[in-house]
Amino acid sequence: MASDGEDISLTPAESLASATDTEDEEMGAQVQSDMETDEEDLDVEVVPATAEDADMDELLRQLEDYTPTIPDALTTHTLKKAGFSTVDPQIVRLISVSAQKFISDIANDALQHCKTRTTNIQHSSGHSSSKDKKNPKDRKYTLAMEDLVPALADHGITMRKPQYFV
């Protein structure tokens, strides 16, 4: 510090404080390096603070291995069109799985409406032929707007048929 030819006048107290600071810095650096080597030697597992954090960590680990029906690229594109852009693949995968669940719930509700409707039609017609007595598992159902509209309404989506022009 005094190598520039400057005269430095320190009082004995200032000199002692300066020497103590230097020793403290050296000791602090040595303690910190000892702590770093101790951390490297120990295999410490990070434990989540709460059960909710543990559940979230487990869900995110499972999402890494799961491939949803809705591709991540489609989800990312849809999110960008909606004004939400993210680079975190876990968020994109979580939204993909949520959308898949939402669509499957709507499709399942529409199937239940279709089964109920076809059962009511058969019972109201009053006659049953041998064709109508098929095993319910062998019957094939077709998704129709009259089944989809009430299923969507159950989830808060209003859908109307477009007007038909001749």
Side-chain angles (χ1 to χ4, degrees):
M1 289 193 223
S3 62
D4 295 330
E6 297 176 16
D7 291 333
I8 297 179
S9 60
L10 294 175
T11 63
E14 290 174 338
S15 174
L16 181 61
S18 173
T20 308
D21 289 344
T22 307
E23 290 173 6
D24 288 344
E25 289 174 2
E26 290 173 0
M27 289 297 291
Q30 183 180 8
V31 169
Q32 187 172 0
S33 69
D34 288 344
M35 289 175 57
E36 289 174 0
T37 56
D38 288 345
E39 288 177 2
E40 292 172 0
D41 294 340
L42 297 175
D43 290 332
V44 178
E45 183 177 328
V46 177
V47 179
T50 64
E52 292 174 353
D53 291 341
D55 291 343
M56 182 59 77
D57 290 343
E58 180 64 25
L59 174 67
L60 293 176
R61 267 189 249 113
Q62 288 177 355
L63 280 178
E64 290 174 0
D65 299 334
Y66 181 74
T67 305
T69 305
I70 301 171
D72 291 340
L74 177 63
T75 304
T76 303
H77 175 72
T78 306
L79 288 173
K80 283 183 182 176
K81 282 183 68 176
F84 180 81
S85 70
T86 182
V87 293
D88 188 1
Q90 292 178 334
I91 291 176
V92 173
R93 182 69 51 92
L94 186 62
I95 293 171
S96 294
V97 171
S98 300
Q100 178 179 338
K101 169 83 167 85
F102 183 71
I103 291 170
S104 67
D105 285 349
I106 290 173
N108 188 30
D109 289 350
L111 176 64
Q112 297 307 317
H113 283 283
C114 179
K115 286 180 179 180
T116 304
R117 183 178 50 84
T118 55
T119 304
N120 290 342
I121 290 172
Q122 288 176 356
H123 290 296
S124 66
S125 64
H127 66 281
S128 297
S129 64
S130 62
K131 290 182 182 178
D132 292 339
K133 293 185 180 181
K134 284 184 180 178
N135 186 3
K137 292 183 180 179
D138 295 339
R139 179 169 291 153
K140 295 189 180 198
Y141 297 100
T142 304
L143 180 64
M145 284 297 291
E146 57 191 274
D147 302 320
L148 188 59
V149 169
L152 288 170
D154 291 344
H155 291 275
I157 300 172
T158 305
M159 185 170 182
R160 296 186 185 116
K161 290 182 180 180
Q163 292 181 351
Y164 181 72
F165 297 103
V166 179

